[in-house]
Amino acid sequence: MVPALRRAVLAALVIVTSSFAQDQARDGAADTGDPRRPNIVFVFSDDHAVDAIGAYRGRFAGLDPTPNIDRLASMGAVFENSFCTNSICGPSRAVILTGLHSHLNGVRGNGRQFDGDQWTFPKALREVGYQTALFGKWHLGSSPQGFDAWEVLPGQGEYYNPRMLSEGGERRIDGHVSDIVTDLSIDWIREAVESGDGAPFLLMCQHKAPHRNWMPAPRHLDLYDDVEIPEPASLFDDYRNRASPAAHQEMEIGDHMSTPVDLFVLPLDGSPPDRTGATDQSGLRNLGVMTVEQRAAWDAAFVDENREFLREPPTGEALIRWKYQRYAKNYLRAVRGVDDSVGRLMATLDELGIADNTIFVYGSDQGFYLGEHGWFDKRWMYEQSMRMPLIVRWPGHVEPGRRPTELVQNLDYAPTFLDAAGAQIPDQLQGRTLRPLLEDRSPEGGWRDAVYFHYHAYPSIHMVARHYGVRTERYKLIRYYQFDEWELFDLQQDPMEMRNLYGDPEHFRLCVELAELLGQMRAESRDDSDLSVMPREWQEKYR
């Protein structure tokens, strides 16, 4: 690091973070007198990368991965620059519920129990007369609050014949989890509409898929069998020209993805598979609760390919390419189950005659690496995991085909839902309503020109270093504070984030300006997290 730059950047941070800013003003109160308050169907998947959605026109668009989600997108708005504040499952969900950053809602990493007594947007909607329900993945440790009905997966949940928890206790339901969550959601919608009281509803349909370990439904096991999945240009990234944490993670397809555990290449003689080094063994456990018919279909789908692999296992780059193909296909197959869910829910709204007065939202808790940088998983502030899909259909309010480019975050969901429902937006929320952007209006006071991100979980699974940063339309500045390292990327010239410009004399002034902005956003976010540097001996230990 250039000493002068380091001093200038740290000075900028110290100056700006010496005091915390007051909450930003809201975009005005919603109309509480609307007699036709809209229903809200919020379909939320897990780890769905934008490249795996046709409407985002990414690397997999030619494979037609999401025909129903694409149809939804054609009827509404596709947010091009939608980001999370902390790219990991539990924290993202807590941010959406509360409209607060992780350091304020109490869930900084997975495994933290969500305090259900705090304010959440489902509670607020319920208070203004909405019926509320949640089905599927919860992943917040506590029991859901603010819902008239809920049934959720314990922890990460299972793909096949999952256990489900509700106020009535636990039960196991036969079938594939994406179908089961959809069935529960549709049954509840019908009941809510047919009850006859006319109250609007909020449904949160939250899918496990396409989270690791990737286990598609039987009907999708042969999808893409004869297709070569496009590889990312950075599949064999060597992590040069980046800060050192990029090379010291544990999420590489080559070194950290288990062939038997993650990819189900099981011994043909029925002997126990090698589980060495596998960090998520839920898939193998789930095989043990399949029905005879389910297991037969599963084995038949992979036995020939597994036999060929085991007869002459590939090595080196050929092994990485093989793993990537198996992984990407199972991922996309799991995505198709979620896409089927969206299609079924849309058909149900049409059948019941309520589609025109229903906001339909599709999103995911963060993005995911589909081989970019040689990785799987999420966590980083790099684009593939920070960027999250957000598609909104709202008949009469959103012109079909809109593609807003403003910088939005999952902080904005809660105030948006409240605004649409005619409920008051509490002052403490850190997001802003997206309604002006949806309706192609100029937001009062303009819109933000940067977003703030903070990943807190290190040391932990996948060993991604703690970092925080700021992203503008063109640039991204990241600080790995435990290791006192920085990264600067020009997203216009280097969209794959392969060249760290931090320390380049030509970008000295830009680094100082972005560091000052980062300090301002940390202050405005009321983030008082410990940013101390690890002692040198600890740095070496964790590398």
Side-chain angles (χ1 to χ4, degrees), residues 234-246:
S234 59
L235 181 61
F236 299 104
D237 195 348
D238 60 10
Y239 312 115
R240 289 184 295 176
N241 304 317
R242 255 68 52 82
S244 66

Side-chain angles (χ1 to χ4, degrees), residues 56-174:
Y56 276 97
R57 305 165 181 168
R59 178 159 48 99
F60 298 134
L63 301 175
D64 193 25
T66 52
N68 289 299
I69 295 174
D70 297 349
R71 185 162 56 91
L72 176 72
S74 72
M75 301 174 182
V78 176
F79 281 84
E80 295 279 15
N81 291 301
S82 170
F83 303 101
C84 56
T85 64
N86 182 0
S87 56
I88 189 168
C89 303
S92 181
R93 294 160 195 275
V95 168
I96 288 171
L97 286 169
T98 63
L100 300 174
H101 278 278
S102 300
H103 54 271
L104 294 182
N105 66 46
V107 182
R108 302 188 188 205
N110 283 344
R112 301 289 185 92
Q113 187 175 68
F114 180 70
D115 177 8
D117 291 337
Q118 66 186 300
W119 183 96
T120 65
F121 83 84
K123 289 181 183 177
L125 290 181
R126 199 178 183 193
E127 288 174 359
V128 295
Y130 271 69
Q131 305 172 79
T132 59
L134 165 70
F135 300 104
K137 184 169 179 178
W138 173 243
H139 201 212
L140 287 171
S142 56
S143 294
Q145 294 186 30
F147 299 96
D148 298 304
W150 58 267
E151 192 160 9
V152 299
L153 298 159
Q156 293 284 3
E158 301 156 306
Y159 271 105
Y160 277 81
N161 309 329
R163 291 174 297 128
M164 302 289 291
L165 304 177
S166 69
E167 287 187 300
E170 178 180 316
R171 63 171 174 161
R172 187 178 291 278
I173 305 177
D174 286 347

Side-chain angles (χ1 to χ4, degrees), residues 328-341:
K329 289 179 180 180
N330 276 347
Y331 177 94
L332 291 173
R333 290 161 178 158
V335 163
R336 183 55 65 90
V338 174
D339 187 74
D340 287 351
S341 172

